[in-house]
mmCIF file of all heavy atoms in Angstrom:
data_model
loop_
_atom_site.group_PDB
_atom_site.id
_atom_site.type_symbol
_atom_site.label_atom_id
_atom_site.label_comp_id
_atom_site.label_asym_id
_atom_site.label_seq_id
_atom_site.Cartn_x
_atom_site.Cartn_y
_atom_site.Cartn_z
ATOM 1 N N VAL A 7 7.471 -2.678 -1.920
ATOM 2 C CA VAL A 7 7.896 -3.118 -3.244
ATOM 3 C C VAL A 7 7.437 -2.078 -4.267
ATOM 4 O O VAL A 7 6.417 -1.426 -4.077
ATOM 5 C CB VAL A 7 7.317 -4.515 -3.572
ATOM 6 C CG1 VAL A 7 5.804 -4.508 -3.623
ATOM 7 C CG2 VAL A 7 7.906 -5.095 -4.836
ATOM 8 N N ASP A 8 8.217 -1.907 -5.320
ATOM 9 C CA ASP A 8 7.831 -1.054 -6.446
ATOM 10 C C ASP A 8 7.436 -1.958 -7.602
ATOM 11 O O ASP A 8 8.189 -2.852 -7.974
ATOM 12 C CB ASP A 8 8.987 -0.158 -6.885
ATOM 13 C CG ASP A 8 9.319 0.931 -5.887
ATOM 14 O OD1 ASP A 8 8.468 1.221 -5.027
ATOM 15 O OD2 ASP A 8 10.418 1.486 -5.959
ATOM 16 N N PHE A 9 6.257 -1.703 -8.165
ATOM 17 C CA PHE A 9 5.773 -2.481 -9.304
ATOM 18 C C PHE A 9 5.976 -1.713 -10.608
ATOM 19 O O PHE A 9 5.915 -0.487 -10.632
ATOM 20 C CB PHE A 9 4.272 -2.771 -9.162
ATOM 21 C CG PHE A 9 3.951 -3.774 -8.112
ATOM 22 C CD1 PHE A 9 3.454 -3.374 -6.881
ATOM 23 C CD2 PHE A 9 4.121 -5.127 -8.346
ATOM 24 C CE1 PHE A 9 3.142 -4.299 -5.900
ATOM 25 C CE2 PHE A 9 3.810 -6.067 -7.372
ATOM 26 C CZ PHE A 9 3.318 -5.647 -6.149
ATOM 27 N N THR A 10 6.174 -2.459 -11.674
ATOM 28 C CA THR A 10 6.197 -1.918 -13.023
ATOM 29 C C THR A 10 5.643 -2.990 -13.951
ATOM 30 O O THR A 10 5.322 -4.089 -13.493
ATOM 31 C CB THR A 10 7.618 -1.473 -13.449
ATOM 32 O OG1 THR A 10 7.528 -0.787 -14.702
ATOM 33 C CG2 THR A 10 8.571 -2.628 -13.541
ATOM 34 N N THR A 11 5.494 -2.681 -15.209
ATOM 35 C CA THR A 11 5.011 -3.656 -16.183
ATOM 36 C C THR A 11 5.911 -3.605 -17.414
ATOM 37 O O THR A 11 6.631 -2.627 -17.634
ATOM 38 C CB THR A 11 3.553 -3.380 -16.620
ATOM 39 O OG1 THR A 11 3.505 -2.131 -17.298
ATOM 40 C CG2 THR A 11 2.617 -3.348 -15.431
ATOM 41 N N THR A 12 5.822 -4.636 -18.223
ATOM 42 C CA THR A 12 6.643 -4.679 -19.425
ATOM 43 C C THR A 12 6.318 -3.530 -20.372
ATOM 44 O O THR A 12 7.193 -3.055 -21.074
ATOM 45 C CB THR A 12 6.470 -6.021 -20.160
ATOM 46 O OG1 THR A 12 5.085 -6.216 -20.442
ATOM 47 C CG2 THR A 12 6.988 -7.167 -19.319
ATOM 48 N N GLY A 13 5.091 -3.081 -20.389
ATOM 49 C CA GLY A 13 4.700 -1.981 -21.258
ATOM 50 C C GLY A 13 5.369 -0.667 -20.915
ATOM 51 O O GLY A 13 5.388 0.259 -21.725
ATOM 52 N N LEU A 14 5.943 -0.578 -19.732
ATOM 53 C CA LEU A 14 6.631 0.646 -19.310
ATOM 54 C C LEU A 14 8.138 0.526 -19.471
ATOM 55 O O LEU A 14 8.883 1.413 -19.061
ATOM 56 C CB LEU A 14 6.291 0.974 -17.848
ATOM 57 C CG LEU A 14 4.821 1.242 -17.542
ATOM 58 C CD1 LEU A 14 4.631 1.475 -16.048
ATOM 59 C CD2 LEU A 14 4.298 2.422 -18.336
ATOM 60 N N GLY A 15 8.585 -0.567 -20.036
ATOM 61 C CA GLY A 15 10.016 -0.757 -20.260
ATOM 62 C C GLY A 15 10.833 -0.782 -18.984
ATOM 63 O O GLY A 15 11.980 -0.359 -18.973
ATOM 64 N N GLY A 16 10.237 -1.245 -17.904
ATOM 65 C CA GLY A 16 10.950 -1.308 -16.632
ATOM 66 C C GLY A 16 10.903 -0.016 -15.840
ATOM 67 O O GLY A 16 11.412 0.039 -14.733
ATOM 68 N N GLY A 17 10.294 1.020 -16.394
ATOM 69 C CA GLY A 17 10.198 2.299 -15.692
ATOM 70 C C GLY A 17 9.003 2.354 -14.762
ATOM 71 O O GLY A 17 8.212 1.419 -14.680
ATOM 72 N N LEU A 18 8.853 3.470 -14.070
ATOM 73 C CA LEU A 18 7.758 3.658 -13.119
ATOM 74 C C LEU A 18 6.719 4.645 -13.615
ATOM 75 O O LEU A 18 5.539 4.516 -13.283
ATOM 76 C CB LEU A 18 8.317 4.125 -11.772
ATOM 77 C CG LEU A 18 9.333 3.192 -11.106
ATOM 78 C CD1 LEU A 18 9.944 3.852 -9.875
ATOM 79 C CD2 LEU A 18 8.704 1.861 -10.756
ATOM 80 N N ALA A 19 7.141 5.633 -14.399
ATOM 81 C CA ALA A 19 6.227 6.667 -14.887
ATOM 82 C C ALA A 19 5.119 6.046 -15.725
ATOM 83 O O ALA A 19 5.371 5.208 -16.585
ATOM 84 C CB ALA A 19 6.987 7.707 -15.703
ATOM 85 N N GLY A 20 3.896 6.422 -15.436
ATOM 86 C CA GLY A 20 2.751 5.916 -16.183
ATOM 87 C C GLY A 20 2.133 4.661 -15.604
ATOM 88 O O GLY A 20 1.145 4.152 -16.127
ATOM 89 N N PHE A 21 2.688 4.152 -14.502
ATOM 90 C CA PHE A 21 2.150 2.924 -13.920
ATOM 91 C C PHE A 21 0.683 3.071 -13.538
ATOM 92 O O PHE A 21 -0.094 2.133 -13.641
ATOM 93 C CB PHE A 21 2.979 2.486 -12.702
ATOM 94 C CG PHE A 21 2.524 1.167 -12.136
ATOM 95 C CD1 PHE A 21 2.781 -0.017 -12.806
ATOM 96 C CD2 PHE A 21 1.815 1.114 -10.948
ATOM 97 C CE1 PHE A 21 2.341 -1.239 -12.311
ATOM 98 C CE2 PHE A 21 1.382 -0.094 -10.427
ATOM 99 C CZ PHE A 21 1.640 -1.274 -11.119
#
Side-chain angles (χ1 to χ4, degrees):
V7 63
D8 290 342
F9 288 103
T10 188
T11 64
T12 56
L14 299 177
L18 301 173
F21 184 73

